[in-house]
C-alpha cells in the first residue's frame, strides 16, 4: 500500500460558514472522513501546518509547507497539499522552486465548494490528487484539479466559480485523471533526488501598467520592495512618452541593487521585447530582465526564490533565465 501524506492548509475545501462568511474550519482528519475510500486504498497520514483562506497565504507560509515536505520526505511515497484555490497557482510555483527535481509527486488540490456541501467538487479532486500521487510514474510538483494535472509553474486560476478553475498556460496538461485512472500525456524521466531550498525574499511584487501610469507609482514602491515584475502591454515594453521618466526610475531601482523584470499582462504567448523600440529601450537602457514565456505569477515567485539565494546581479540574471520545472519554454527554429 502506498504511504501518502495529506498536508492540509485550509481553503474553501475545508471551509464552513458559521455566519461571518466561509472560513477554513475542518481538521485534516475531518477532511479525510468525507473521502472514506482514501484510507481503504492508501496508508494516509494527515497534518495541518496552516489553516488559511489562501487570500491570506504569504511567502513565509510557502517555506512552512516546503519544510513540512522536507521533514517527511523519506517517510512517504507522495504528498497531497489541500489548499485554497485563490492563490494555489502561486503556491504551486513556490513549491516548484523550493523543492526541485522531486522524484516523489507533490500535488496541490482544493475545491470551489466546501467538502461539506452536497454538490462539492472536493471529493473528486481529493480522490484524483491521491490517485495521481500514488502512481509510480508521477513526480514533481503539480496541481490536480477538475481531472487535469497541470505542471506547478504553468497554472493560472481562470474561473472564479466553475469547477474547471485552473488552466495550464501555453503548456499541455501533464495528464488527465478519469475515474481514478491516469491518462498521461507527457511521460517524463523521473529525477533521482530532490533539491530543497529554504530561503525566499518576500518583498517582491507585480505592478500592472495602465495607460498613463507615471514614474511616481514605481517610486512609491521602491522603498519597500527588493524586486518588481512590471506587467507591461503586448509583447512587452516600457512607456517612454513621459520623457523617459519610467526608465529613469527603473535605473534608480537598479542603482539601489533591486531587480526589475518585465512580463506581459496578455494571458498567452509571453513577451518578446526585442520587437518594438519601447521594449528594446527597456532591455538596453533599463537593464530589465524579461519574463518571456513565464507566467507573471511564476515570474514573481521565481524572483522571490532567486533573491532569497543571491543579490549578485549576474547570478540573478543567470538564475532568472535558467529554466526550472518548465517555467521558461524555449522556442526553437525548425530543424533543416
Ligand atoms: N478563498 C478561498 C481560498 O482561496 C477560495 C477557494 O479555496 O476556492 O482559500
Amino acid at each position: 500500500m502506498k504511504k501518502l501524506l495529506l498536508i492540509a492548509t485550509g481553503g474553501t475545501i475545508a471551509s464552513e460558514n458559521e455566519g461571518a462568511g466561509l472560513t477554513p474550519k475542518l481538521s485534516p482528519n475531518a477532511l479525510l472522513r468525507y473521502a472514506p475510500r482514501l484510507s481503504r486504498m492508501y496508508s494516509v497520514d494527515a497534518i495541518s501546518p496552516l489553516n488559511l483562506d489562501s487570500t491570506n497565504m504569504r511567502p513565509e507560509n510557502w517555506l512552512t509547507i516546503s519544510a513540512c515536505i522536507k521533514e517527511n520526505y523519506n517517510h512517504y511515497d507522495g504528498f497531497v497539499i489541500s489548499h485554497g484555490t485563490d492563490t494555489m497557482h502561486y503556491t504551486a510555483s513556490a513549491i516548484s522552486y523550493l523543492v526541485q527535481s522531486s522524484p516523489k509527486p507533490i500535488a496541490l488540490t482544493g475545491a470551489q465548494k466546501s467538502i461539506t456541501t452536497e454538490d462539492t467538487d472536493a471529493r473528486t479532486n481529493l480522490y484524483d490528487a491521491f490517485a495521481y500521487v500514488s502512481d509510480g510514474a508521477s513526480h514533481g510538483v503539480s496541481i490536480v484539479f477538475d481531472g487535469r494535472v497541470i505542471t506547478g509553474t504553468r497554472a493560472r486560476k481562470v474561473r472564479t466559480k466553475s469547477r474547471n478553475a485552473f488552466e495550464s498556460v501555453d503548456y499541455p496538461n501533464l495528464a488527465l485523471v478519469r475515474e481514478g485512472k491516469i491518462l498521461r500525456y507527457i511521460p517524463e524521466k523521473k529525477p533521482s533526488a530532490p533539491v530543497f531550498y529554504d530561503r525566499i525574499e518576500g518583498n517582491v511584487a507585480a505592478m500592472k501598467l495602465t495607460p498613463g501610469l507615471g514614474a511616481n507609482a514605481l517610486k512609491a514602491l521602491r522603498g519597500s520592495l527588493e524586486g518588481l515584475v512590471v506587467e507591461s502591454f503586448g509583447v512587452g515594453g516600457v512607456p517612454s512618452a513621459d520623457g523617459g521618466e519610467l526608465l529613469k526610475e527603473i535605473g534608480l531601482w537598479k542603482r539601489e541593487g533591486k531587480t526589475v523584470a518585465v512580463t506581459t499582462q496578455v494571458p498567452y504567448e509571453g513577451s518578446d521585447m526585442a520587437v518594438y523600440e519601447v521594449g528594446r529601450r527597456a532591455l538596453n537602457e533599463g537593464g530589465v530582465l524579461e519574463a518571456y514565456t513565464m507566467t507573471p505569477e511564476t515570474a514573481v515567485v521565481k524572483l522571490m526564490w532567486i533573491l532569497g539565494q543571491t543579490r549578485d546581479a549576474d547570478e540573478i540574471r543567470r538564475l532568472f533565465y535558467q529554466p526550472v520545472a518548465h517555467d521558461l519554454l524555449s522556442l526553437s527554429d525548425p530543424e533543416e
Side-chain angles (χ1 to χ4, degrees), residues 11-12 52-55 83-87 111-112 157:
T12 295
L52 298 174
D53 184 309
S54 78
T55 294
H83 195 288
T85 60
D86 291 346
T87 62
Q112 293 281 50
K157 186 170 180 181

Side-chain angles (χ1 to χ4, degrees), residues 62-328:
W62 302 334
L63 293 176
T64 303
I65 298 170
S66 63
C68 201
I69 296 169
K70 187 177 178 184
E71 244 165 64
N72 289 287
Y73 200 81
N74 294 330
H75 310 302
Y76 294 93
D77 301 307
F79 303 86
V80 171
I81 302 169
S82 60
H83 195 288
T85 60
D86 291 346
T87 62
M88 189 188 292
H89 47 312
Y90 285 93
T91 302
S93 275
I95 304 300
S96 303
Y97 293 113
L98 295 170
V99 188
Q100 295 185 24
S101 311
S102 173
K104 296 185 180 180
I106 302 162
L108 291 94
T109 197
Q112 293 281 50
K113 293 264 174 76
S114 166
I115 201 160
T116 61
T117 61
E118 216 167 290
D119 58 344
T120 185
D121 48 341
R123 267 187 292 275
T124 310
N125 286 346
L126 267 185
Y127 283 127
D128 286 355
F130 274 90
Y132 185 70
V133 300
S134 71
D135 187 80
S138 300
H139 59 90
V141 180
S142 57
I143 286 182
V144 178
F145 209 96
D146 193 40
R148 298 178 181 84
V149 182
I150 301 172
T151 303
T153 57
R154 303 226 59 94
R156 180 181 297 133
K157 186 170 180 181
V158 291
R159 289 180 190 83
T160 54
K161 296 187 175 179
S162 303
R163 289 179 173 225
N164 51 348
F166 288 94
E167 198 167 88
S168 185
V169 177
D170 290 332
Y171 197 71
N173 294 323
L174 290 179
L176 297 181
V177 187
R178 287 219 188 103
E179 294 174 340
K181 307 244 184 302
I182 317 294
L183 171 57
R184 201 173 290 279
Y185 289 146
I186 310 187
E188 287 179 325
K189 215 173 146 262
K190 232 180 222 238
S192 53
V195 182
F196 292 97
Y197 293 85
D198 56 10
R199 283 197 314 271
I200 204 153
E201 169 56 68
N203 292 316
V204 176
M207 192 167 114
K208 186 171 182 163
L209 288 186
T210 47
L213 186 95
N216 274 346
L218 263 78
K219 190 176 172 192
L221 295 174
R222 184 157 33 97
S224 55
L225 294 179
E226 295 301 319
L228 181 70
V229 176
V230 176
E231 291 190 22
S232 68
F233 311 115
V235 288
V238 171
S240 51
D242 58 355
E245 288 302 315
L246 271 169
L247 280 182
K248 277 187 216 144
E249 175 58 29
I250 288 173
L252 294 177
W253 280 68
K254 295 211 64 189
R255 213 168 307 151
E256 291 182 16
K258 298 168 191 249
T259 308
V260 179
V262 174
T263 181
T264 175
Q265 53 192 263
V266 179
Y268 300 102
E269 300 179 356
S271 68
D272 193 356
M273 291 176 66
V275 175
Y276 295 101
E277 192 194 340
V278 283
R280 287 193 192 191
R281 280 188 66 185
L283 288 170
N284 300 334
E285 286 172 39
V288 299
L289 299 175
E290 177 171 1
Y292 293 107
T293 50
M294 278 182 245
T295 67
E297 295 88 344
T298 288
V300 168
V301 176
K302 188 173 196 177
L303 201 48
M304 288 182 176
W305 166 66
I306 293 170
L307 296 181
Q309 317 311 312
T310 182
R311 291 303 159 96
D312 178 82
D314 293 337
E315 187 60 2
I316 293 169
R317 178 169 287 268
R318 187 188 72 76
L319 287 170
F320 197 73
Y321 291 133
Q322 177 178 285
V324 176
H326 307 297
D327 61 350
L328 193 59

